[in-house]
Amino acid sequence: MKDPRIAALVTINELRVTPDLKHARVFVSVMGTEPSRKARLGPAAAVGYIRHELTERIQLRRAPEIHFTLDHSEEYSQRIEELCGRPGACV
């Protein structure tokens, strides 16, 4: 997806869908020193387009409501490695 608001690297880490397929939570990480507000809002602004593409590609009668959540797990693991000096040192 091309969006001029998203200059940083945006990665989808996880997708959780409710059993009834009505809601989908997308965990997104934004790489960079300080993720810009525009980069975080970019995927959320394209929800209509993403829902349309979902219904077209996987033949759903109704597309799930999509909720984007900023995921800090990669930053957290990098911080742990910095504090320990090397992976596995703090075990």
Side-chain angles (χ1 to χ4, degrees), residues 5-10 29-41 70-72 75 78:
R5 291 171 291 196
I6 304 173
L9 177 65
V10 178
S29 67
V30 180
M31 298 303 289
T33 54
E34 182 62 34
S36 69
R37 180 179 168 93
K38 288 182 180 180
R40 287 183 279 168
L41 295 177
L70 194 58
D71 187 7
H72 298 284
E75 296 164 3
Q78 286 177 357

Side-chain angles (χ1 to χ4, degrees), residues 27-78:
F27 292 89
V28 178
S29 67
V30 180
M31 298 303 289
T33 54
E34 182 62 34
S36 69
R37 180 179 168 93
K38 288 182 180 180
R40 287 183 279 168
L41 295 177
V47 165
Y49 171 76
I50 294 169
R51 289 185 70 196
H52 172 73
E53 288 296 313
L54 277 174
T55 55
E56 292 289 319
R57 293 181 187 208
I58 52 179
Q59 309 272 323
L60 291 174
R61 182 179 298 236
R62 180 184 150 134
E65 292 291 325
I66 301 172
H67 310 280
F68 288 96
T69 302
L70 194 58
D71 187 7
H72 298 284
S73 61
E74 184 67 30
E75 296 164 3
Y76 179 73
S77 65
Q78 286 177 357

